[in-house]
Amino acid sequence: MELSQEIVIRPLAKDEEIPYPLLLLADPSKAMIDSYLPSSTIYVAEQEGKIIGVYVLLPIGPKAVEVKNIAVAEALQGQGIGKLLLSHAGHTAKAKGYRTITIGTANSSVGQIYLYQQQGFEITGVKVNYFTDNYPEPIYENGEKCVDQLILTRKL
Ligand code: ACO
């Protein structure tokens, strides 16, 4: 599939299947995903009728929203779709009246941290031991253990 084919980003309709295989790329715990989905809105990126990306927005305050999950189908990563999703998330949140958008990621997610900073997010906090406290199994990424969660925020 070519990136030149049009990509449409839209909210997932209530009667559509939840794209768990994509959501699980960003968050290995289905229990954690199911804990935030009921209060969130799921947005999907669609290309030629196929869902190729996802992001999830959860309100965390009257003027603050968090991207709880963002993922692109493995075969299509590294082609700019993640950037497109993040930019769409910012525009959507701003249009809904939010003032800040936040994203949390593991200390080991170096590529993602780079991407978020490139997109205007700044590190605003650290949840020490977030992954070791909340996930039953140890998670490793790039050979490094996920321990702490970095919180990055962008003003809208
Ligand atoms: N390693 C190195 N660099 C990366 C990585 C990575 N894992 N991910 C993104 N980048 C960099 C790219 O090199 C690129 O930089 P450049 O423009 O200077 O070349 C930039 O970030 C943008 O990359 P995109 O092509 O737009 O990113 P992509 O389409 O791959 O989407 C995403 C990024 C969503 C992180 C995707 O790689 C993915 O689905 N990964 C697995 C799931 C995941 O880790 N999700 C985030 C977890 S945190 C959360 O969900 C809140």
Side-chain angles (χ1 to χ4, degrees):
M1 211 180 296
E2 303 269 322
L3 191 55
S4 55
Q5 300 291 330
E6 198 192 355
I7 294 175
V8 176
I9 303 176
R10 58 167 179 84
L12 188 75
K14 292 250 179 296
D15 60 348
E16 283 183 283
E17 206 177 314
I18 294 172
Y20 279 111
L22 282 172
L23 295 170
L24 287 163
L25 291 177
D27 186 338
S29 163
K30 183 166 183 294
M32 288 292 275
I33 294 171
D34 286 337
S35 72
Y36 54 73
L37 283 190
S39 314
S40 303
T41 309
I42 303 174
Y43 292 83
V44 290
E46 196 174 46
Q47 191 180 41
E48 295 189 309
K50 200 170 179 292
I51 290 175
I52 57 161
V54 67
Y55 74 85
V56 174
L57 281 188
L58 174 73
I60 53 169
K63 295 285 173 201
V65 73
E66 179 173 347
V67 179
K68 286 297 289 184
N69 190 306
I70 181 165
V72 171
E74 267 167 313
L76 297 171
Q77 289 175 9
Q79 298 181 34
I81 301 169
K83 260 188 217 171
L84 212 62
L85 289 170
L86 269 183
S87 156
H88 191 274
H91 288 300
T92 303
K94 192 170 183 176
K96 289 184 180 297
Y98 292 106
R99 295 280 177 78
T100 62
I101 186 164
T102 287
I103 193 160
T105 195
N107 55 288
S108 47
S109 304
V110 285
Q112 291 85 332
I113 294 165
Y114 167 73
L115 166 62
Y116 305 151
Q117 291 186 117
Q118 201 188 39
Q119 292 300 297
F121 287 79
E122 291 176 1
I123 295 173
T124 49
V126 182
K127 289 186 183 167
V128 174
N129 295 334
Y130 176 83
F131 289 96
T132 44
D133 286 350
N134 288 289
Y135 287 79
E137 303 290 334
I139 309 168
Y140 287 87
E141 197 178 17
N142 313 311
E144 206 180 327
K145 193 173 178 183
C146 300
V147 178
D148 307 317
Q149 188 185 48
L150 295 189
I151 310 296
L152 295 99
T153 303
R154 179 159 84 82
K155 288 200 179 91
L156 296 170

